[in-house]
Amino acid sequence: MNIFLTLDQLSRKRGSWGLLFLLTLVIEICALFFQHVQDLQPCVMCIYERVAMFGILAAALIGLMKPDNVILRTLAMISWGYASYRGLALSNQHVDFQFNPSPFATCDVFVSFPDWAPLNTWLPSVFEAYGDCSEVVWQFLGLSMPQWLVIIFSLNILACAIVFLAQLITRMLPKQ
């Protein structure tokens, strides 16, 4: 039970949320490096996965605001979990486009954002798609970018679930 108490206490510290922010920021910077330096054009699914990663960044910022506040911390964890889940779903679909190509299952040609947040209009260098979803343009250790994102989003879901579980368990422990 000591590990749960430790995880609960860590979730109440800015350093933990700062680490989540920093790690996610590094992933976003890598994506922009691949796009603007390596000239690997992102596809529609890449952009949607990027938005999910920005969701994790936003969750980390919420957690950074006041991590000892139960409402903000819970909102941060819910946001972190939801963004990670959506990112995992998108990445799995992207992997399917790459490794099970079908003329009947393809990604959109253009990104589609809500009218109230046309990200591709506001910041096209980050949110506009030019690539083909079914094309594998980069691999590392035999895995494509969407496959790596499946791992990254899965680890985020696991970490979020463990921290959330630690919060619940420590609430049920007798006070000392």
Side-chain angles (χ1 to χ4, degrees):
M1 289 297 174
N2 198 6
I3 186 76
F4 293 115
L5 188 58
T6 301
L7 288 171
D8 179 49
Q9 290 169 347
L10 283 174
S11 73
R12 297 168 188 266
K13 299 195 181 314
R14 280 197 170 92
S16 301
W17 292 102
L19 181 61
L20 176 63
F21 181 86
L22 182 63
L23 292 173
T24 308
L25 183 63
V26 166
I27 292 168
E28 289 288 7
I29 290 169
C30 286
L32 293 171
F33 172 82
F34 285 124
Q35 178 180 349
H36 295 289
V37 177
Q38 298 292 323
D39 203 33
L40 301 179
Q41 296 305 311
C43 67
V44 170
M45 295 303 289
C46 296
I47 297 301
Y48 293 157
E49 292 155 353
R50 184 176 291 178
V51 171
M53 199 63 70
F54 274 114
I56 297 173
L57 271 177
L61 282 175
I62 293 169
L64 270 167
M65 278 193 253
K66 195 162 174 60
D68 56 340
N69 180 298
V70 69
I71 294 170
L72 285 177
R73 190 174 60 253
T74 302
L75 178 62
M77 284 192 290
I78 290 169
S79 301
W80 178 21
Y82 179 73
S84 299
Y85 167 77
R86 292 292 297 145
L88 178 60
L90 290 162
S91 299
N92 276 324
Q93 186 178 16
H94 194 172
V95 168
D96 193 47
F97 288 151
Q98 285 187 336
F99 297 101
N100 300 308
S102 165
F104 306 108
T106 61
C107 67
D108 297 334
V109 177
F110 301 104
V111 291
S112 177
F113 291 112
D115 291 337
W116 54 269
L119 299 176
N120 58 321
T121 303
W122 294 342
L123 200 55
S125 63
V126 176
F127 296 109
E128 194 58 71
Y130 306 101
D132 178 0
C133 293
S134 63
E135 188 179 351
V136 177
V137 295
W138 178 90
Q139 286 188 313
F140 179 68
L141 299 176
L143 299 176
S144 69
M145 248 184 246
Q147 289 174 311
W148 279 107
L149 286 173
V150 166
I151 294 168
I152 291 166
F153 285 121
S154 295
L155 290 173
N156 270 280
I157 289 170
L158 180 63
C160 182
I162 290 170
V163 170
F164 192 74
L165 183 63
Q167 304 245 331
L168 292 177
I169 289 173
T170 56
R171 298 300 165 275
M172 294 188 296
L173 291 176
K175 300 292 180 199
Q176 297 182 16

